[in-house]
Amino acid sequence: MPTLPDNDSAPAGALIRFRNSVWFAILVCTLTGVLGTTLVSAAAAHSRSIGASRWTEQQRSLLRSLSLKSLAPLAPDPSNRYADDDRAAALGRQLFFDTRFSGNGRVSCATCHVPGQDFQDGTPLAHGVGTTARRTMPIAGTAHSAWFFWDGRADSQWGQALGPLESAAEHGGTRTQYAQVVASHYRSDYETIFGVLPSLAQLPRQAGPVADSAWRGAWERIPSARRDDISRVYANIGKAIAAYERRIELTPSRFDRYVAAELSGKPHDTQSAFSRDEEAGLRLFIGKANCANCHNGALFSDDHFHNTGVPLPTTALPPDSGRTSGVRQALAGEFNCTSRYSDAKPDDCEELRFAVTEGSELVRAYKTPSLRNVAARAPYMHAGQFTNLDQVLAHYNSAPAAPFGQSELRSLHLSLEEQRQLAAFLNTLTSPLAAPQGWLQGPATQSK
């Protein structure tokens, strides 16, 4: 008898043929892709959920505000119409590194503001032709500020640049000397930007409203109209230097990359990851340690002035009342925002017009410095009183009484471990500086 077909084997054969077909392969790939996508999406959502839950909404907002991404675009400087002129910046760069702008021919702006050291010099007190009474402040990002110097005695970057040039302890020269240097070495560049130089014929080499009585007397004997012409050249020197300094900016640090990853829920890589101590230090910084009360915003500075009970320098220095005298100097400044050398309109000078000028809180109050690159910028405080961050943190933790005036500090009761964690966090704020190519060097050493 012939063999009848096995009814059970027919479907099995069809299944085998389907499994071996291209359609089965396509189906498997499709299902696998859908499942994989679903799992990845779920994992990402879980990661974002975990990241979000690690920080409260208030903390996330604060982290965002501290990120360099939150820094507003650099606003025009109404007092300096040349601030964003590339030609002025190129001239300012040359002036910044030129030692002929000093009484002894050996000091330039870069003597204290060393580009390779975050535009500061790493010494407790700045050294020019003599020794000053203050610590050199860095330059990067300062164009975003309203006040300059530790006591805020200048209200513009160009006004700040002029102060050291006629300081007997810093550059030690005078404005007639500097006008003559411009005429001899930078005439063409200067006149292209600012217009024709005034006649400097028969002017004394050294004359200006400076501490030296002979040079001051020589200045006072110059007719007032000529003095005004020379002072305008002097102001333009400051405006060119400010145009250069304005182009020196900060770049994102590991902290900024950490915040970007945390807020977006993306996984960290080696460029953004924090150690346990660094993250603990960040939480202390915005929390228990109260650091963000003053060190806030993308530059980690409120741009205000505070008495934090810093001890007197070990070196004998003249009395220093901080903002008390600084604000008065700013208001009376020859080159302030409301001066005839300023390009601003009166309504542009609100910071100066509404500055707080009286009050016990100004006594020995100093400007809050930026904490960006702070770990690479020892020593610390306005006269370099602390040699390392451990000493700074110990001071803020113990909150001693101020030598005079009233300290704003209150004891934090941080453990040694917590102080170590804060120091670890502060190290994450280090990053390179940014400027047009080659502009972090002097013209003579610029790479060809």
Side-chain angles (χ1 to χ4, degrees), residues 118-139:
D118 197 31
F119 281 85
Q120 53 90 48
D121 55 6
T123 62
L125 303 175
H127 299 285
V129 297
T131 300
T132 73
R134 296 264 179 84
R135 174 89 170 87
T136 300
M137 300 188 84
I139 289 174

Side-chain angles (χ1 to χ4, degrees), residues 148-302:
F148 299 83
F149 294 113
W150 283 101
D151 55 11
R153 65 184 182 274
D155 66 340
S156 71
Q157 206 164 30
W158 65 273
Q160 182 280 324
L162 297 174
L165 290 172
E166 287 191 320
S167 163
E170 295 180 69
H171 289 244
T174 63
R175 60 191 67 179
T176 58
Q177 173 198 346
Y178 301 143
Q180 290 163 0
V181 171
V182 168
S184 298
H185 302 282
Y186 300 104
R187 179 182 291 272
S188 177
D189 289 340
Y190 178 95
E191 292 186 339
T192 298
I193 302 161
F194 299 108
V196 178
L197 276 163
S199 171
L200 303 177
Q202 299 181 331
L203 284 176
R205 172 170 171 73
Q206 297 288 8
V210 296
D212 185 282
S213 58
W215 294 352
R216 176 179 286 275
W219 176 252
E220 292 171 350
R221 288 190 292 273
I222 298 172
S224 61
R226 294 198 76 187
R227 289 202 304 264
D228 186 64
D229 287 342
I230 296 161
S231 294
R232 194 163 295 280
V233 174
Y234 187 54
N236 288 338
I237 289 170
K239 290 177 181 181
I241 292 173
Y244 165 65
E245 294 179 343
R246 186 175 171 85
R247 285 155 173 78
I248 302 166
E249 285 287 3
L250 297 153
T251 62
S253 66
R254 184 155 52 92
F255 163 75
D256 299 293
R257 293 187 289 273
Y258 172 87
V259 170
E262 285 290 297
L263 297 184
S264 66
K266 294 180 180 178
H268 288 286
D269 57 22
T270 56
Q271 298 300 309
S272 69
F274 268 21
S275 69
R276 289 180 181 273
D277 279 346
E278 290 166 346
E279 184 173 299
L282 170 57
R283 291 183 179 277
L284 288 165
F285 186 93
I286 65 174
K288 178 180 177 181
N290 297 326
C291 306
N293 286 354
C294 299
H295 293 286
N296 50 51
L299 297 178
F300 284 76
S301 170
D302 61 2

Side-chain angles (χ1 to χ4, degrees), residues 361-376:
E361 71 275 13
L362 304 182
V363 177
R364 209 163 179 267
Y366 300 96
K367 184 179 175 182
T368 306
S370 170
L371 293 184
R372 289 193 173 270
N373 287 328
V374 66

